Amino acid sequence: MAIDDFTITLNGAYATICARGAVVTSWVVPTPETFNVIDGYASQEEVDEADGCRSAVLAPWSNRISDARFTYRGVEYDFGVGDNGEREALHGLVLDHDFTVTARSEHAITLETTIEDENYPQPVRVSVTYELSTRSGSWALRTRISGHNLGAGPTPIGLGWHPYIRYDGPRENAYVTVPARTVIRTDERLIPLDGAEAFERLESFDPVSGLATIQPLEQLDTAHSDLTASQGEEAVITATLHHGSGATTDLIATAPATVNKASGIIHLFTGEPLAHRAGESLAFEYCQFMTNAFNRVECARHIDVGAGDTRTMTVTLVHTPRGR
């Protein structure tokens, strides 16, 4: 059965969004040469396979839940064994949902779905809006994800987005600057270690610039936290992929004003194990909480969303071609 695709356009740039999972499959910018920034699924077969969770909307949690179990307000929830035979509860509950379009214009689109799962405390409506814009010679794709609690009681929600950015120029010349003081240490299942052992000082952090430099971009599946941010009603976090060509792709994320070691992470995955185009792009992810947040005491007072309330996250990718 064919899966619907939708295209939004602006001044020669365009993005294609697939209804399955509401994922971006391409984002093409036109100058100085046509460049497809997003390395998304390249065919319906790849969409069906879902290898790598390309451009995945991560809701109502991001990354993994240890042993696919968590306890919330005295009740244990168990997601069991996944299709891969592992207990990891990977990347939430909407990866295989077919979203419905609720609003659309030439340069923006909104899609929605509802999570109703007996293994989750409350039903949640997930809404995703993609919008194209331009700014001073750069091209922007803004992604706004929200989780609205439809239930009669509170529920945990932690959102994330999982885009893959294609390298412009040689990967060996690319590097990332990330506003993080800390790297999160994990076990062999990629679950953060217990307590304070999970947080290790990031040696390359420069307190003057507020940035750490990550290079080479090889064999990474790593979260960075304790983010530096501009403060206001919302914190604004900016990380940058510096391409080998001289182009840049900024990731600009909004977060609650409270940003700490457990709330607000930037995850880098270099994709060597992928089935398709292994190592050809960087998964450049912002997530509101660290992996296994629903089982972490550091996150317990931050994950609640009350009945009728909404948690929202905005991530904007800004691509600036070389020479600009």
Side-chain angles (χ1 to χ4, degrees), residues 81-313:
V81 177
D83 292 340
N84 62 359
E86 299 181 13
R87 295 186 61 93
E88 58 180 359
L90 183 62
H91 290 330
L93 295 171
V94 301
L95 300 181
D96 60 354
H97 278 222
D98 288 329
F99 281 63
T100 299
V101 175
T102 59
R104 188 177 182 185
S105 68
E106 182 179 0
H107 63 275
I109 189 170
T110 299
L111 305 96
E112 288 186 356
T113 192
T114 298
I115 297 166
E116 294 181 286
D117 192 303
E118 63 181 9
N119 292 314
Y120 206 72
Q122 304 292 344
V124 175
R125 182 173 65 242
V126 177
S127 176
V128 187
T129 298
Y130 297 105
E131 183 176 8
L132 296 175
S133 63
T134 60
R135 50 177 77 178
S136 302
S138 300
W139 304 88
L141 172 63
R142 180 177 182 263
T143 301
R144 183 178 177 87
I145 303 172
S146 65
H148 179 72
N149 181 359
L150 297 172
T155 200
I157 297 176
L159 306 172
W161 189 40
H162 199 297
Y164 285 72
I165 309 302
R166 184 176 278 104
Y167 296 111
D168 186 5
R171 179 174 76 157
E172 56 267 26
N173 294 340
Y175 62 98
V176 169
T177 51
V178 58
R181 302 178 183 90
T182 300
V183 63
I184 296 178
R185 299 172 60 214
T186 63
D187 62 19
E188 66 282 355
R189 302 169 300 152
L190 298 176
I191 299 297
L193 302 182
D194 292 338
E197 290 187 7
F199 307 104
E200 182 177 286
R201 181 177 176 271
L202 193 53
E203 293 295 333
S204 65
F205 178 74
D206 176 9
V208 176
S209 67
L211 297 170
T213 299
I214 311 299
Q215 191 180 36
L217 298 179
E218 298 176 358
Q219 303 298 331
L220 296 177
D221 198 348
T222 308
H224 304 83
S225 72
D226 200 7
L227 304 177
T228 63
S230 61
Q231 296 290 336
E233 292 185 5
E234 287 185 316
V236 179
I237 297 153
T238 303
T240 303
L241 170 58
H242 302 261
H243 296 272
S245 69
T248 58
T249 305
D250 295 324
L251 181 154
I252 304 171
T254 61
T258 300
V259 178
N260 55 41
K261 291 181 180 179
S263 299
I265 67 162
I266 293 173
H267 195 105
L268 305 178
F269 172 51
T270 47
E272 286 84 1
L274 295 176
H276 308 287
R277 302 178 299 287
E280 293 184 12
S281 55
L282 175 71
F284 200 15
E285 311 164 34
Y286 177 74
C287 302
Q288 291 181 316
F289 301 105
M290 68 185 294
T291 296
N292 199 32
F294 291 179
N295 288 313
R296 301 285 304 196
V297 296
E298 303 96 329
C299 300
R301 68 188 182 89
H302 301 295
I303 59 176
D304 281 0
V305 174
D309 292 339
T310 301
R311 171 156 286 149
T312 300
M313 180 189 82

